[in-house]
Amino acid sequence: MGGQRRGKAVERKKFQTAVDMAEALPHLFKPISDSPTLIGEEQDSLAQCEAAVETLKAAFWAAGKALHIIRDARLYRQTHKNFNDYCDERWGMQREYADKLIRTWPIAEALIKRQASGELTPIGVKTLNQAQTWELVPAADTWDVDAATFVYETVIEVNGEKVTAEILNGAVNALPKTGEFDKKAVKDRIVDYFANISNRSTSNRRTTKRTETADPIAARAEKAIQEKWLRKLAAKDQQSAAAYIDHIQRQLNALRAELLQGEVVPGQREGANIP
C-alpha cells in the first residue's frame, strides 16, 4: 500500500499541552499494511501513541514539579493574591492536595529516571503511582530522596513485583525514625518486615488447617522449613539460598530412597533429573 511521509521526531516535541498531544495523534484505526512487521509509518504512529500513554505514568510527577515552580517563583501573582487562591480558582484544587503533589514529585522523578537509565527494573516502575510515592515521603523527609528510592528498590528486591501503597507504608514504618541512613540496617529491617508478614500468614494458614483437620505430619513438615531465615538469606544472597534448598532436596531424596523402598522420587515419573 502507498506509504505516507514519515513524521519527524522533532515534530513530537513541540506539544505544549496534553490536549495538543491528543489532537495530534494519528487517525489510524485500522491496519494500513498486511505485513507482520510494522512499516515505517506504523512504527512512527506506535511511538507517538506510546509516548502519549507514557504521560499517564508521569502525570503526577509533572504536575507536582510544575506547581512547585509556580509556588516558589510566585508565578501566580499577576492573577491571584496567593497560591491557595491560584490552586482553587485556576485548577479547582485544594492547597493540601497541591502540597502533596509537590512533596511526591522528586521521588517519582528519581525512580522514573533510574528506570530510564537501566538502574531500576522497568517492572518496578511501570505501576508507580502517587499513592505509592506518597508512602515514601517520610523516608525522604527523614533522610533524602536517595534513601526513599533505596527503600522502594529494596521492597521490589525482597518482595518481587507486588508493590502496593500498603506494603510501602508498612516497610517505611518498620524503619528507624532517626539517625544516619544505613543501607544495611534499612535492608535488614525491610527483610524482617516481610518475614513477619510471611510468618503471620503461615500461622494463619496453620490455624485454618488445624481447624479443618488435625494433621500432625503436615504440621511437623511445615515447622521443619526455616522460612524466616531462608527469606533473609535469599534477600542477601540468592545463590546461597538456592544452594541450601538444593542441598535439602538431595537429603530428602536420599531419605526417600533409603526408607521408602520402591517409592519413586517425585518428578522422576516425568523423567525429571533431580540431583
Side-chain angles (χ1 to χ4, degrees):
M1 300 183 66
Q4 298 182 22
R5 181 171 57 89
R6 289 178 63 100
K8 298 180 180 179
V10 294
E11 293 176 349
R12 300 184 197 132
K13 296 181 180 180
K14 293 180 180 178
F15 305 129
Q16 297 298 315
T17 69
V19 173
D20 292 341
M21 176 176 284
E23 289 182 341
L25 289 175
H27 290 274
L28 188 68
F29 297 102
K30 61 182 180 180
I32 60 175
S33 169
D34 295 329
S35 170
T37 302
L38 298 182
I39 63 174
E41 183 182 347
E42 291 174 315
Q43 291 176 5
D44 283 351
S45 296
L46 176 62
Q48 193 172 348
C49 289
E50 288 188 340
V53 176
E54 186 77 10
T55 63
L56 183 65
K57 180 176 68 179
F60 73 95
W61 160 30
K65 189 172 185 178
L67 287 168
H68 197 168
I69 295 168
I70 292 169
R71 185 194 68 183
D72 288 12
R74 298 183 63 246
L75 300 180
Y76 56 80
R77 67 184 185 276
Q78 180 170 307
T79 55
H80 297 82
K81 62 181 180 180
N82 56 53
F83 187 62
N84 288 28
D85 290 347
Y86 170 78
C87 291
D88 180 36
E89 296 172 12
R90 179 67 175 87
W91 303 111
M93 180 188 301
Q94 292 185 352
R95 171 67 183 267
E96 181 181 4
Y97 181 63
D99 287 341
K100 193 171 185 177
L101 288 170
I102 289 171
R103 295 180 70 190
T104 55
W105 80 259
I107 301 171
E109 181 176 75
L111 287 171
I112 294 174
K113 283 186 174 181
R114 285 178 67 78
Q115 175 199 353
S117 66
E119 297 178 71
L120 182 63
T121 169
I123 292 175
V125 177
K126 71 179 181 181
T127 58
L128 183 68
N129 57 49
Q130 186 188 350
Q132 295 168 346
T133 311
W134 177 247
E135 298 300 340
L136 296 169
V137 168
D141 288 347
T142 301
W143 296 292
D144 54 26
V145 170
D146 287 341
T149 60
F150 179 81
V151 170
Y152 186 85
E153 292 168 1
T154 303
V155 168
I156 293 176
E157 178 184 348
V158 176
N159 199 50
E161 301 173 17
K162 299 178 181 179
V163 180
T164 65
E166 182 180 4
I167 284 176
L168 288 171
N169 176 272
V172 171
N173 285 335
L175 302 181
K177 308 305 179 188
T178 58
E180 295 293 326
F181 186 76
D182 184 330
K183 288 187 176 182
K184 182 179 183 305
V186 166
K187 186 170 185 177
D188 286 344
R189 290 285 189 99
I190 293 175
V191 169
D192 287 342
Y193 163 68
F194 284 112
N196 289 334
I197 291 178
S198 177
N199 287 343
R200 287 197 298 270
S201 177
T202 301
S203 177
N204 291 337
R205 288 197 300 270
R206 289 172 180 168
T207 300
T208 301
K209 287 182 179 179
R210 284 196 295 270
T211 301
E212 294 174 348
T213 175
D215 187 348
I217 299 298
R220 183 174 291 275
E222 288 180 359
K223 290 181 180 179
I225 301 175
Q226 301 180 44
E227 185 174 335
K228 181 177 180 180
W229 173 84
L230 187 55
R231 283 182 177 276
K232 283 187 177 182
L233 178 62
K236 297 177 180 178
D237 187 346
Q238 290 190 354
Q239 186 174 2
S240 295
Y244 174 84
I245 293 172
D246 290 342
H247 178 70
I248 294 298
Q249 185 64 63
R250 286 193 293 269
Q251 285 187 312
L252 291 173
N253 290 343
L255 284 171
R256 175 181 284 274
E258 178 184 349
L259 302 177
L260 305 177
Q261 297 181 3
E263 283 285 327
V264 178
V265 174
Q268 289 186 344
R269 291 186 180 88
E270 293 75 29
N273 182 19
I274 301 177

